[in-house]
Amino acid sequence: MCRQSATVCLTKSPTAAQRGATGVAERLAVLRDPRDRRRRRHSLVSVLFNACCAVLAGARSYLAVGQWARHAPLDALARLGVRAAGPLGVRRAPSSSTIRRLLTLVCPGGLADLLGCNPAGSRRLAVDGKVARGSRTDTGPAARLLSAVLEDGRTVSQLRVPDKTTEVTGFTKLLSPFDLAGVVVTADALHTHRDHARWLVEAKEAHYLLVVKRNQPMLHDSLRSLPWKEVTARRYDREAGHGRRETRSIRTLTVTGLGLDFPYVAQAAKIHRHRTDLKTGEITRQTVYAITDLTARAASPQAIGQLARAQWGIEAVHHVRDTTSGEDASKIRTGHGPENMATLRGFAISILRTAGHHSIAAGLREVSYTPFTRPLDLIGLP
């Protein structure tokens, strides 16, 4: 069964071979078409291709995706796999209603896996959740999405957290299909659980760097009481940008044998951030504690600082989805629409990152100049 609950999806999760297929078309062909077999004018893959390319060209809604498809020339529709019908062989693009119906019905877990990146061999993987605020309804809360993102901003996969539960319940479900051997998984304090750490090290042969806050009061107090003033393993980083100047100090301490109650913990880190707003002059200070199973030989203070920044990097991806792609403002609410549209936005960001775009906004603008050729080229359609 799909790693989402059976009440959400009744299709099997894609296998590693299916996720690793070279072409996007081969991967999407794995998905089960949720529509009735009768009166299917468009294939599932062709409709999903239309949606992927439209979002890459800047579309934010079902209506915008349908408008992009309606204006696509015949050669683009042929590349997208739209079938020729009638004696004249006319290709007719899928309508907005067809696109909406499919994106509200298609398996969200399978779509996220098949459009995601393979984390095997990567150095870092960050896990964090966000809320699609515009998806709130009168009878239900907004969709909460738990994502896994690589250090370069490419999305691995995403799952919707069931209502009345927390992100903690989806952590192992999200990562279980992937080969994480040797990968350092970072997460915020919400996921600093002993079961998660034990599962990563024992079942996935991965490493972890987890933030510790006051939701783990005993562990947090134990970290605070460590002899940080005597630590000699330190790293200082300074940078300016985005209207602020920031100085970070990272101290690391080997805690093996100190009785710290957490599975496989080898090092603790104290990260102090001193930030100055260049416009207002306001100064803020923040101290964060983290724990990892990486030894001092495997991870220096500099490496620990980079891992911490990788976790903050996933928040930057979520910020791009909200500001550049308008995810929070989106009013898509029904069915699997919120999570599937979020998957398409993450896929667009991954494609643009792979193409070398550091600014997603600039990348979307560049694609929009040739909206019926550039998206198809980026996805690799023949």
Side-chain angles (χ1 to χ4, degrees), residues 235-241 244-250 270-278 283-287 309 312:
R235 169 76 181 187
Y236 292 91
D237 291 316
R238 295 178 177 86
E239 66 177 24
R244 62 177 181 263
R245 183 173 60 248
E246 183 173 279
T247 301
R248 293 181 299 275
S249 68
I250 303 101
K270 180 179 181 180
I271 304 171
H272 182 75
R273 291 184 282 184
H274 183 282
R275 181 178 298 172
T276 302
D277 190 301
L278 299 179
I283 297 175
T284 57
R285 297 178 177 87
Q286 182 184 27
T287 299
R309 285 182 63 79
W312 302 330

Side-chain angles (χ1 to χ4, degrees), residues 23-52:
V24 180
E26 288 78 7
R27 298 203 300 270
L28 292 181
V30 175
L31 287 173
R32 180 181 64 87
D33 195 326
R35 298 171 296 175
D36 190 282
R37 290 182 179 273
R38 295 169 294 180
R39 290 176 288 183
R40 290 183 189 174
R41 175 176 294 175
H42 303 283
S43 69
L44 173 65
V45 173
S46 68
V47 176
L48 292 176
F49 272 156
N50 274 272
C52 290

Side-chain angles (χ1 to χ4, degrees), residues 4-5 7-8 130-132 135-146 159-170 173 333-336 338-339:
Q4 298 196 52
S5 65
T7 58
V8 174
K130 77 177 296 293
V131 177
S135 63
R136 183 179 291 106
T137 64
D138 294 337
T139 58
R144 180 175 292 277
L145 309 172
L146 185 64
L159 288 180
R160 180 170 179 170
V161 179
D163 297 340
K164 300 182 180 179
T165 62
T166 67
E167 295 174 18
V168 176
T169 61
K173 289 182 180 180
R333 299 185 177 98
T334 57
H336 303 317
E339 53 265 49

